[in-house]
Amino acid sequence: MPSSHPLLCSLGLLFLVLLQGSNSNGASTIPAKIGKGYRLISIEESPDGGIVGHLQIKQKNSIYGPDIPLLQLYVKHETEDRLRVHITDAEKQRWEVPYNLLPRDQPPSLKQTIGRSRKNPITASEYSSSELIFSYIPDPFGFAVKRKSNGQTLFNSSADESDPYGSFVFKDQYLEISTRLPKDASLYGLGENTQPHGIKLYPNDPYTLYTTDVSAINLNTDLYGSHPVYMDLRNVNGEASAHAVLMLNSNGMDVVYRGSSLTYKVIGGVFDFYFFPGPSPLDVVDQYTAFIGRPAPMPYWSFGFHQCRWGYHNLSVVEDVVENYKKAKIPLDVIWNDDDHMDGHKDFTLNQQNYPRAKLLPFLEKIHSQGMKYIVIIDPGIGVNSTYGVYQRGLANDVFIKYEGKPYLAQVWPGAVNFPDFLNPKTVEWWGDEVKRFHELVPVDGLWIDMNEASNFCSGLCTIPEGKKCPSVTGPGWECCLDCKNITKTRWDDPPYKINASGSQVPIGYKTIATSAVHYNGVLEYDAHSLYGFSQSIATHKALQGLQGKRPFILTRSTFVGSGHYAAHWTGDNKGTWDDLKYSISTMLNFGIFGVPMVGSDICGFYPAPTEELCNRWIEVGAFYPFSRDHANYYSPRQELYQWKSVAESARNALGMRYKLLPYLYTLSYEAHITGAPIARPLFFSFPNITELYGLSTQFLLGSSLMVSPVLDEGNTEVSALFPPGTWYNLFDMTQAIVSEEPHYLAVPAPLHAINVHLYQSAIIPMQQGGLISKQARMTPFSLVVTFPAGATEGEAKGNLFLDEDELPDMKLGNGYSSYIEFYANAAEGAVKVWSEVQESKFALEKGWVIEKVTVLGLNGIGGAFAVEVDGNAVVDTSNVEISTTEQMFPEKLEGKNKKRSAMVEVKGLELPVGKKFALSWKMGIKG
């Protein structure tokens, strides 16, 4: 679905440029440093092993409202690798991210009396765990967090006279706190936004966090999600260390990054900091997702290819699309409908004329029998309609967000709508019932929840016009046709500090729910706004899980801290341009850091029409997004991959490889689920000490070892790719290898239908033979690719494989429906051995999976004494086994001592049961 801000789509960048030098908060009258901060007046141990202190304002001022005079400080090392620093009003409860939405420990209850006798007063100014040290200065109060191993300061809120910021500020609607940073720190995160400079945060770019339906083509603008977390990567004398800082707060905020410092300016809530010490980037994401929730398990089929379009006007068009993919021999697992299947754009309905149930059900039965899936869109706005059962049941259950006691009226695709309040337990129950009813009508396999920032075509307080059709257009339209008036009468609608909303400081209630509207238990939209999509994801996940006990698949546009525990994400309304192709990589990599590893962009662009060459290059990249889907706008020409012969060829090539790699991708999704490890990740995750990689945004890794180096510019038939030190093997032609002693760029050929994908040394990856549907591809024989450094006479390699009944809710071992295999290889003293260790063999054995081929790269051939063992028993008959050796080619000559013979050894004709441990061994060398 497109953005409801068409003006901002075209003018957003202009607004942004105009605003760079201005500040409508009154830069000329408001000083850079507000107030004198707070002083620490008491501190003691808390019963749970933390420390609790009280802070008193030093000098009151009225800039952005009165100061909160007395604050409670709570600090706790919650685990050895997580430190919490929580600051709130000491006398009055304040809004925080609800503890039932994001489960975590509660801070101590507020102390109403200050200055009473202290049982456990603290005299030390440091408080340590094994990883982190918290220290403070009492007057003006400031705190620092240091890494214990090397004393490095990770965060320091104290300010000097020379700093461009002051001590921290805590008012009802304005909170400010800063940290000093070393100039060479590389920061990542603070999304969601489209970053023109790549994955690294860029000094003086605006970083505003407030969930907004603004097209992703708007650069440096608050987009659909809010993730107030950053990862900080530093390199001291060649040694890298990473950490992350989460400021858990759902209110709108500007984060000002100057290069040498970072300042949060937040319009409500509390300071709730969490520090994660790493020290590796993978450690950071592991620690972060252990706190916010591990990424959701995804069904196997979701790693297949997906096709969607807004504008599949009837069922026969959808049937043709499925048939044409099959004819073109392009893989396809999932066919999607935008709102074309709906009756008048209303959720949980079917258009009986264009998608008659009597024809839709046999179509779904047919594709389901082949292993294909079907997903439809659901928007949160429920059409106001007296004959619409969903709406009537919602009214009866009192599930809608209120304004002055009545359901708040907005406009989205059906016309006038009310918004369900997903903070209300009754709403979650009602939503589950509506999903169940719809599933009985149409057996969909997942849900796509869109427009959940929440998006509104109108602003303010609206009524339905009398005697006027609304909406008045026949096609999709986003002009507001309700009668509306602006709401500016409360401080929630017009707060004293104006965040840079929509990149142009529009009112925070613009084109969304009025911020003085009220949720369950009196919660203001002002506070809960950025949680809307997150709360809907949780409710939808619960609803789908309750249907048939299957693993849910949910795609959401709006996200918050923890959304990845429930849903996948796509990057929203992008454009069919080369720039947008580039941006897609940075956004994808950021979401891996945010704990949402199942992510991708609309392949070939949502609008307008892409060029044929761009679509070729985009499917080559998109085939390696974790979530791979082609989607286009209502007004764009058709852009399914078979529409151009050349694109179809590129798709067969790139998606053909994706489908061979499905077991590898699925194993990565298991690792994501148990450790948070991103599926797609920046190169510095595997090579953190190489500073040249810190800003690299044009290549990425899948897992730790598979590097994708796409063409991202028009007319190019080669790509300048940065190769970290070691040996890299071309996955499409494993006789081709690149050896790099130092990180360096190399121009590698990239004709129109080719994508460069290289596998690093010391890895073992499982592959299968591919197919047109993942269900078929999954039952083909396995092969293993084992990599050693080119010309090595000794070395080790390892890899793994996770297999399970992929539609069960849990993705875990020990339930009888999963197996886990670890693969090892060793070369030493002239001998080579490849073997496996198996956990939970039953499932793999029942499925009958076998390894048919093992390919070993980088050694100097096979010299004899070939042997096979299965479960410790020698396999005597190896007559069906074929062994071949092919010398490897290098684009650059290996000079001097590195000039060694390197070969690809293929061992075919094996029948090794995946569920049994095996061992292959042979002597190195060349026969005869």
Side-chain angles (χ1 to χ4, degrees), residues 154 210 250 418 459 499 537 545 565 614 754 842:
L154 309 186
Y210 189 71
S250 62
N418 295 150
S459 303
I499 61 168
S537 295
Q545 225 172 22
H565 189 56
L614 175 60
K842 176 175 166 278

Side-chain angles (χ1 to χ4, degrees), residues 166-334:
S167 296
F168 82 83
V169 180
F170 204 118
K171 297 166 186 279
D172 190 28
Q173 287 183 270
Y174 183 76
L175 286 70
E176 181 185 308
I177 194 167
S178 302
T179 180
R180 196 172 292 126
L181 292 167
K183 280 198 167 69
D184 58 353
S186 296
L187 268 58
Y188 310 87
L190 298 178
E192 176 180 11
N193 62 11
T194 301
Q195 297 175 194
H197 299 107
I199 50 174
K200 268 175 73 167
L201 299 188
Y202 197 77
N204 303 316
D205 273 359
Y207 294 97
T208 299
L209 279 63
Y210 189 71
T211 62
T212 308
D213 175 11
V214 176
S215 166
I217 67 173
N218 291 277
L219 308 180
N220 291 326
T221 301
D222 45 311
L223 298 182
Y224 315 107
S226 175
H227 295 270
V229 62
Y230 68 85
M231 182 164 74
D232 179 336
L233 179 61
R234 302 179 188 178
N235 192 305
V236 179
N237 302 322
E239 279 297 309
S241 59
H243 67 274
V245 179
L246 167 67
M247 214 280 272
L248 186 59
N249 183 304
S250 62
N251 289 82
M253 67 181 82
D254 289 334
V255 185
V256 181
Y257 172 51
R258 303 176 191 86
S260 57
S261 64
L262 184 142
T263 298
Y264 298 89
K265 299 182 176 188
V266 196
I267 60 172
V270 301
F271 290 132
D272 197 2
F273 282 102
Y274 292 85
F275 298 91
F276 306 93
S280 76
L282 273 178
D283 291 334
V284 167
V285 184
D286 187 358
Q287 294 153 8
Y288 181 58
T289 57
F291 172 62
I292 66 167
R294 298 295 193 193
M298 294 288 158
Y300 198 86
W301 53 261
S302 67
F303 289 93
F305 183 66
H306 303 246
Q307 178 62 52
C308 185
R309 175 182 171 77
W310 183 29
Y312 285 151
H313 297 299
N314 57 49
L315 179 59
S316 63
V317 178
V318 174
E319 290 172 318
D320 284 347
V321 170
V322 172
E323 196 54 39
N324 284 328
Y325 267 93
K326 196 182 293 180
K327 278 182 191 167
K329 293 187 167 50
I330 300 171
L332 179 65
D333 258 73
V334 191

Side-chain angles (χ1 to χ4, degrees), residues 768 778-782 801-805 812-823 836-851 912-918:
Q768 284 173 287
R778 199 176 190 197
M779 296 318 296
T780 60
F782 278 85
L801 172 64
F802 177 80
L803 302 159
D804 76 345
E805 191 59 67
K812 64 181 184 182
L813 291 169
N815 59 6
Y817 295 96
S818 56
S819 297
Y820 183 71
I821 300 94
E822 290 176 298
F823 300 110
S836 70
E837 301 288 344
V838 182
Q839 292 179 48
E840 312 281 337
S841 62
K842 176 175 166 278
F843 178 71
L845 290 172
E846 284 174 353
K847 290 292 185 182
W849 280 306
V850 296
I851 296 167
L912 305 172
V914 171
K916 293 186 177 183
K917 61 181 184 179
F918 71 85

Side-chain angles (χ1 to χ4, degrees), residues 4 155 316 325 360 379 448 489 536 656 740 857 871 888:
S4 66
F155 193 95
S316 63
Y325 267 93
L360 180 60
D379 293 333
W448 170 20
K489 62 185 177 186
Q536 188 194 14
S740 175
L857 307 174
D871 269 351
Q888 276 165 327

